[in-house]
């Protein structure tokens, strides 16, 4: 592994598969990462570890180091926040119970979103979203977004979020998610590492962002994504300082969802010259990464 944050080629610690709202199967995702010459990746599906077994098998075959992960939905001061769990717990763990709770929350939320979209003119919204998902996995807002496009209510996905599903719109339902501090606690109690996902994407004022980072660190969070896809270089530099001052490790990821979308796996953009410590130097991760992640880890079974 490279030692400095400025040397992160071949690493991507935030990727989605068909286990949540990504469009590649875990195996196809690992093949794409291999073709793109990545060496260390984390699969971080929304609120589930269901894709990890398949990803693990493919990664082993391709000689890719895979860190098991998940991106958990939660709330902080009424704002929807995402936390990446690296090394989520084994079956029977606190986090497994947490993931079951999140799966149920997604289920209940989908019914509320469907009701609201039906009022806005999308009949049989739940069935349409299910058809878009193409499997029985828990539904996400992108499934409803695609249903809205398919039904001709909006022209494309960005418009679906802008009008119906994005922050403050009728389909933005957050009340079912647990609190940030609880989610961080689940991760930490199982020996995982809690990483605040894409801190610059919540449209917070700088003051609110610093409060979020403080609360996250106080809850036991140990890292934050310094780079999540393309972002403003100046703000990235500023964020590096905020992490460094709080002793938070810096993680990096593309938040890849599908080919032809915004970012391919491994796309990280310019990294700041900074003294912030890269997450792969975290003691819980560095040994595992050296040994090739999975061999020494408990297997992470899928949660139904
Ligand atoms: P959910 O996890 O069900 O709340 O859905 C959130 C997901 O929707 C994110 O992880 C993105 O994949 C997707 N998303 C959020 N905002 C947008 C947007 N403006 N355009 C397209 N996709 C979006
Ligand atoms: Mn997503
Ligand atoms: Mn996210
Ligand atoms: Mn994501």
């Amino acid at each position: 592994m490279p030692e400095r944050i400025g040397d992160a080629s071949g690493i991507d610690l935030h990727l989605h598969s068909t286990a949540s709202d990504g469009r590649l199967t875990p195996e196809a995702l690992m093949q794409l990462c291999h073709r793109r010459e990545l060496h260390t990746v984390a699969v971080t599906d929304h609120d589930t570890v269901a894709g990890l077994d398949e990803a693990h098998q493919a990664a082993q075959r391709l000689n890719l180091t895979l860190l098991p992960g998940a991106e958990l939905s939660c709330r902080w001061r009424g704002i929807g926040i995402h936390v990446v769990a690296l090394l989520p717990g084994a079956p029977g763990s606190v986090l497994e119970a947490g993931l079951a709770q999140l799966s149920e929350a997604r289920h209940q939320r989908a019914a509320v979103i469907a009701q609201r979209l039906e009022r806005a003119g999308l009949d049989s919204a739940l069935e349409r979203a299910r058809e878009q998902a193409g499997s029985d996995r828990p539904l996400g807002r992108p499934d409803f977004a695609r249903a809205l496009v398919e039904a001709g209510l909006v022209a494309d996905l960005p418009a679906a979020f802008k009008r119906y599903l994005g922050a403050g719109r009728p389909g933005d339902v957050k009340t079912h998610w647990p609190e940030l501090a609880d989610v961080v606690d689940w991760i930490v109690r199982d020996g995982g590492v809690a990483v605040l996902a894409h801190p610059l994407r919540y449209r917070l004022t700088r003051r609110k962002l610093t409060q979020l980072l403080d609360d996250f660190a106080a809850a036991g969070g140990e890292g934050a994504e310094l780079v999540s896809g393309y972002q403003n270089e100046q703000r990235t530099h500023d964020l590096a300082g905020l992490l460094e001052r709080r002793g938070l490790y810096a993680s990096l990821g593309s938040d890849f969802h599908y080919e032809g979308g915004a970012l391919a796996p491994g796309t990280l953009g310019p990294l700041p010259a900074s003294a912030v410590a890269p997450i792969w130097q975290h003691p819980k991760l560095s040994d595992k990464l050296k040994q090739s992640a999975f061999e020494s880890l408990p297997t992470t079974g899928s949660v139904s």
Side-chain angles (χ1 to χ4, degrees):
M1 293 295 292
E3 292 298 309
R4 284 165 28 81
I5 197 81
D7 176 22
S9 60
I11 298 174
D12 192 329
L13 302 181
H14 190 144
L15 299 162
H16 292 274
S17 79
T18 47
S20 66
D21 58 3
R23 295 194 210 162
L24 294 183
T25 62
E27 179 173 3
L29 176 63
M30 292 301 94
Q31 284 166 349
L32 177 62
C33 289
H34 177 69
R35 283 203 301 281
R36 291 184 54 80
E37 301 184 344
L38 303 190
H39 56 76
T40 303
V41 298
V43 171
T44 56
D45 275 304
H46 295 287
D47 305 321
T48 184
V49 293
L52 294 184
D53 284 342
E54 182 184 321
H56 170 216
Q57 285 175 26
Q60 267 190 330
R61 235 179 11 255
L62 297 164
N63 205 18
L64 259 172
T65 296
L66 175 71
L67 277 178
E71 180 178 16
L72 307 191
S73 309
C74 61
R75 278 184 302 167
W76 174 79
R77 300 192 188 177
I79 300 166
I81 298 287
H82 289 171
V83 175
V84 167
L86 295 175
L87 310 179
S93 63
V94 180
L95 185 62
E96 190 188 40
L99 289 173
Q101 184 183 322
L102 285 167
S103 169
E104 180 58 26
R106 241 175 216 284
H107 189 66
Q108 289 176 10
R109 184 188 70 150
V112 177
I113 293 175
Q115 256 174 21
R116 293 192 180 182
L117 293 184
E118 282 178 13
R119 250 178 266 146
L122 183 72
D123 61 83
S124 310
L126 202 56
E127 292 74 12
R128 287 173 187 266
R130 176 56 65 202
E131 197 183 315
Q132 292 299 321
S135 77
D136 62 0
R137 65 160 170 77
L139 294 173
R141 281 181 286 166
D143 303 314
F144 288 99
R146 292 220 282 271
L148 286 162
V149 175
E150 189 70 22
L153 270 79
V154 286
D156 53 24
L157 292 183
F161 274 88
K162 201 164 174 199
R163 278 185 60 188
Y164 294 102
L165 294 156
R169 310 310 297 171
D172 173 36
V173 182
K174 297 180 287 276
T175 45
H176 300 81
W177 300 135
E179 284 294 326
L180 174 90
D182 293 331
V183 160
V184 171
D185 187 57
W186 300 340
I187 299 167
V188 174
R189 268 203 280 164
D190 282 340
V193 178
V195 175
L196 181 66
H198 42 69
L200 300 181
R201 237 189 283 156
Y202 304 115
R203 298 166 185 262
L204 303 175
T205 60
R206 191 169 184 283
R207 184 176 157 71
K208 266 250 166 127
L209 174 61
T210 61
Q211 288 168 348
L212 172 59
L213 290 169
D214 286 339
D215 286 359
F216 183 73
E222 296 182 278
E225 290 178 345
L226 175 60
V227 172
S228 172
Y230 288 122
Q231 54 190 40
N232 176 286
E233 242 180 291
Q234 185 55 44
R235 294 192 73 198
T236 305
H237 182 81
D238 180 53
L239 181 59
L242 295 176
L243 302 190
E244 200 186 325
R245 285 198 284 285
R246 288 164 179 78
L248 289 167
Y249 289 88
S251 188
L252 306 164
S254 63
D255 205 1
F256 171 80
H257 281 74
Y258 54 91
E259 287 177 287
L263 291 169
T267 315
L268 298 173
L271 299 173
S274 160
V276 66
I279 193 87
W280 50 84
Q281 285 175 8
H282 189 293
K284 282 183 192 157
L285 302 181
S286 59
D287 280 356
K288 313 262 193 238
L289 288 173
K290 270 182 219 134
Q291 289 163 19
S292 174
F294 254 88
E295 277 157 24
S296 58
L297 293 173
T299 49
T300 41
S302 58
V303 176
S304 54

